Amino acid sequence: MHKNNAMRLLPISIAFFGAFSSKNGINFVKAQGKEAVPDQCTEDPPHFVAPPHTGRCMNWTQDLVNNYTYPDDFKDSNNETIYSNFTQYVCGKGTEKYRLFDSNGIPDHDVMQGNKNAPCEVHWFIKVPYFPSFAAQVSELPPRSIIGMSMNGVPAFGPQEVGNSNAIEFDPNGTVKDAGFWYGHSTLQKVWHFHNPFMGHPNPSSDDLLGYALDGFPIYGPLDDETDRNGLDECNGREIDGIYKYHIMRSEWVDENKTYCEQDENGTSVGNPVTQWNYILGCYKGSIADTVVLNGEGLTIPSDCRELDGSPTTSPSPSLPNTSSPPTPRQDRPNIIIFQPDDLKHYDTWSPPPNNPNEPNYEVSEPSDGGLPFMNLLREEGMEMKQAYTASPACGTSRFSTITGKYASRAESGKKDEAVPRYVTIPSTKLIGSDCKQNNVAAAFKRSGLYRTAMFGKWHLAGLTDEEYSYEIAKDFVENCGFDSVGGLYVENLSDEIFGNFNNGNFSHNMEWMTNEAIQFIEENTTEPFFMYFNPTVPHVGHSVDYAFQNFTCMQTPSGILDEEPIKYFPFDTCEEYRDSVYNRSANLDELGPIYVDDSLGAILEALNATGKLNNTLIIFQQDHGIETKKALYENGIRVAQFAWYPGKIQAGVFDKPVSSIDIAATVLDFSGIDVDYLMDGISWKEEITAVSSST
């Protein structure tokens, strides 16, 4: 955000959220309509009123045609430069999150003044949904008023102009001669705005984000050719991979000879809310019930708002460098590891045990010879969550909630009939479609361009058939869900039964291999931080660890036979010596699995320390679900052990408030300074846990 006009955001007594109420006398119109406007297609389309100008106006001459260079010619009467001043914020939490556009309405590019109306600063404060939703019915755009905000802070208006004329198609004999240019023009009230679909971009492509409609859905440039636009709906939008986008039309694709509204043979509007001059939009596809347009003079940015990374749409002329606070440097963003063992028990020392009321004294003790030192290091030196719950008490469904931040009941894989409730089962809960490509935390990290992403271990979310499986196909499947690197992969559970090509009887649990794959990723020489999802297959009992140790070596893996033993950072020279030590530290066969997992965690910690990454790594350790009543919604099926460890940022202590596996995705993105850009059920607990840390 340019700071030249920053003083206009001085605190005032009125609270920002109070400004959304008419009780405060603030000049705004919410989406309930205004006075009737000629040539509207329906009875009362929603109508938003522009704020008045602030008094700082361009000192441009009143000649009809002049070219002005930004910012050199953008001067007021005191010869002071009026810079474009636009910032986009994300505010609120969870499903209540919204975008806030704060703009002075001044373009950031060269313009030609085609009328006598020199523009002034207009302080736009616009709130639109961050997670827009489809309306029950499409609604008409308001004639001659704002329909969206461009990425350089100038509002986009509908295609009607004075006298109900077409604003985009140039008519040398018409009343208005300058409205159709890509760089915009000014109203009689000195408000600079766009009618042209290019919205301040001289030649956009289909990948260029031009702005946001007032329903919150993004507006992109035109598709590659006129044939492609046949896939757009009546509002100029389409949904791909679960994301709905509008695409503007090129002016030559719209028939300007048609009337603005669809009419019958008598020339009477048929009441269709879809306008026939669909240059930017044909209608609103989404709900505008929560959209608000405010006069921002004297208002402050709410404390829960955060400035979004990114810059305005590319400008054809030089503009003032952005002097806003820079995004967090890559080296200051933490590495993230989610460490989630499979079917690990909840030990009595970790938190009040979730015992069955019929067995209140049931004991689950750690291994007696040395315990679980690395898990306990995270618990004792980090934050122990005393009321952590899984969103679903089974392996695959729990993993879905962790990786997406959504309830498993929302999985795209389970959608058949929206009117019929669906069962949440492992076979029906897979990461496919938009859940794979868009709506998961790994994809969000990768989209940011700031993080490397990796997954190691058990997946259980692929849905591949026996005939489709090969190790490389399975890797490709998981990589397509947002991961740069995938290794040590077990696409499904191990079991005593042969599972097609996956479990062909040639391998079993192999934590040495899985851990070594993760260590190689950690050791990559790069300055980028990483996100890692690490899922041990043990101590899940499809195969016991004893069975794995007795029948297979650490050289036998789902990817084939290794060339050398993967024993790095395990304190033994050979896998055989190491596995013997696991037996020696176990009082019984049930203790093999937890020790095997703990040693894996220790090797990863050693690798982080050896590469100098340990102190800038956030590790969240959690059970995937409860064990005693797995697959049931009792306390001992859904309450889990969870520890958050981040040296210097999270102090040792306990957090005794409810948290859920659906909160993990939002939390790690929050710690990384990356915005949640899809609809999640979970919310971040970063502020709460760091507040506990600062008070201990």
Side-chain angles (χ1 to χ4, degrees), residues 355-378:
N355 285 344
N356 187 319
N358 294 326
E359 298 181 85
N361 298 319
Y362 178 77
E363 294 185 0
V364 181
S365 301
E366 293 182 30
S368 56
D369 187 3
L372 302 170
F374 299 108
M375 296 183 201
N376 281 320
L377 180 145
L378 301 187

Side-chain angles (χ1 to χ4, degrees), residues 480-658:
N480 286 334
C481 295
F483 294 101
D484 296 309
S485 299
V486 172
L489 178 63
Y490 290 75
V491 74
E492 289 288 345
N493 279 330
L494 291 162
S495 69
D496 291 332
E497 297 179 1
I498 302 299
F499 172 66
N501 295 323
F502 165 57
N503 185 358
N504 58 9
N506 292 332
F507 60 87
S508 184
H509 297 297
N510 191 336
M511 289 303 302
E512 298 97 328
W513 169 62
M514 186 190 303
T515 305
N516 191 67
E517 296 271 287
I519 288 171
Q520 290 181 34
F521 176 78
I522 292 170
E523 289 180 331
E524 289 180 8
N525 186 20
T526 174
T527 59
E528 290 179 305
F530 64 78
F531 166 76
M532 181 192 295
Y533 190 35
F534 191 88
N535 291 289
T537 57
V538 295
H540 193 283
V541 294
H543 279 184
S544 70
V545 174
D546 178 58
Y547 173 84
F549 283 5
Q550 293 297 324
N551 293 279
F552 302 94
T553 72
C554 67
M555 305 278 281
Q556 295 173 271
T557 78
S559 68
I561 304 298
L562 302 180
D563 294 330
E564 58 183 21
E565 292 192 332
I567 198 67
K568 191 172 185 178
Y569 293 116
F570 288 83
F572 294 89
D573 294 330
T574 67
C575 285
E576 183 178 2
E577 291 176 344
Y578 164 65
R579 291 184 172 188
D580 284 343
S581 81
V582 177
Y583 278 113
N584 293 336
R585 287 175 284 156
S586 302
N588 53 62
L589 296 181
D590 285 343
E591 292 184 354
L592 294 174
I595 293 173
Y596 204 15
V597 172
D598 194 67
D599 289 346
S600 168
L601 175 60
I604 288 174
L605 291 171
E606 287 288 344
L608 290 169
N609 186 52
T611 56
K613 299 175 181 178
L614 183 66
N615 289 332
N616 192 37
T617 299
L618 166 63
I619 301 177
I620 296 181
F621 176 97
Q622 67 175 11
Q623 293 174 278
D624 52 353
H625 49 73
I627 294 301
E628 191 179 357
T629 54
K630 177 180 176 180
K631 297 185 179 181
L633 298 179
Y634 297 110
E635 181 82 356
N636 48 9
I638 60 174
R639 186 149 69 81
V640 297
Q642 187 184 86
F643 318 134
W645 183 86
Y646 186 9
K649 301 296 192 299
I650 297 176
Q651 302 301 318
V654 297
F655 187 75
D656 202 6
K657 295 180 181 179

Side-chain angles (χ1 to χ4, degrees), residues 18 83 175 235 254 276 296 355 360 387 577 584 603:
Y83 292 102
T175 305
C235 296
V254 178
Q276 299 189 113
N355 285 344
Q387 297 186 54
E577 291 176 344
N584 293 336

Side-chain angles (χ1 to χ4, degrees), residues 15 126 154 307 313 315 406 505 546 576 685:
I126 299 176
V154 174
E307 186 174 337
T313 304
S315 171
K406 303 193 300 180
D546 178 58
E576 183 178 2
W685 37 253

Side-chain angles (χ1 to χ4, degrees), residues 285-307:
K285 187 74 169 182
S287 170
I288 53 174
D290 294 325
T291 297
V292 175
V293 176
L294 286 166
N295 175 8
E297 280 303 293
L299 298 183
T300 57
I301 304 299
S303 60
D304 66 348
C305 291
R306 182 159 53 87
E307 186 174 337

Side-chain angles (χ1 to χ4, degrees), residues 2-172:
H2 303 321
K3 300 302 182 185
N4 305 75
N5 303 316
M7 291 300 293
R8 61 187 173 81
L9 294 180
L10 287 173
I12 59 173
S13 59
I14 186 169
F16 180 76
F17 287 106
F20 292 144
S21 167
S22 59
K23 294 179 181 179
N24 297 288
I26 301 297
N27 178 25
F28 77 97
V29 176
K30 203 165 183 247
Q32 71 260 23
K34 190 68 173 173
E35 69 277 2
V37 180
D39 276 3
Q40 60 198 29
C41 305
T42 58
E43 285 189 6
D44 196 13
H47 186 70
F48 296 88
V49 174
H53 67 75
T54 66
R56 287 230 308 164
C57 302
M58 300 297 177
N59 63 353
W60 297 348
T61 67
Q62 298 302 301
D63 298 332
L64 283 180
V65 178
N66 271 296
N67 295 312
Y68 294 98
T69 301
Y70 180 85
D72 295 345
D73 297 331
F74 283 48
K75 308 287 187 180
D76 65 11
S77 58
N78 296 319
N79 205 36
E80 294 182 358
T81 302
I82 304 179
Y83 292 102
S84 173
N85 194 341
F86 173 63
T87 307
Q88 181 187 170
Y89 296 91
V90 59
C91 311
K93 291 186 177 182
T95 57
E96 301 301 316
K97 189 177 292 188
Y98 61 91
R99 293 183 192 275
L100 176 64
F101 302 117
D102 176 25
S103 174
N104 67 347
I106 298 298
D108 64 351
H109 47 68
D110 297 353
V111 304
M112 183 177 73
Q113 182 189 13
N115 60 30
K116 296 183 179 181
N117 307 319
C120 303
E121 284 190 299
V122 173
H123 195 168
W124 295 92
F125 247 40
I126 299 176
K127 170 192 174 187
V128 300
Y130 192 81
F131 299 117
S133 59
F134 293 125
Q137 296 179 328
V138 301
S139 56
E140 183 185 348
L141 306 174
R144 295 192 292 283
S145 69
I146 183 172
I147 63 172
M149 177 58 75
S150 74
M151 292 308 293
N152 67 357
V154 174
F157 280 30
Q160 272 200 40
E161 253 294 356
V162 176
N164 307 325
S165 62
N166 187 312
I168 289 91
E169 306 298 335
F170 180 71
D171 180 3

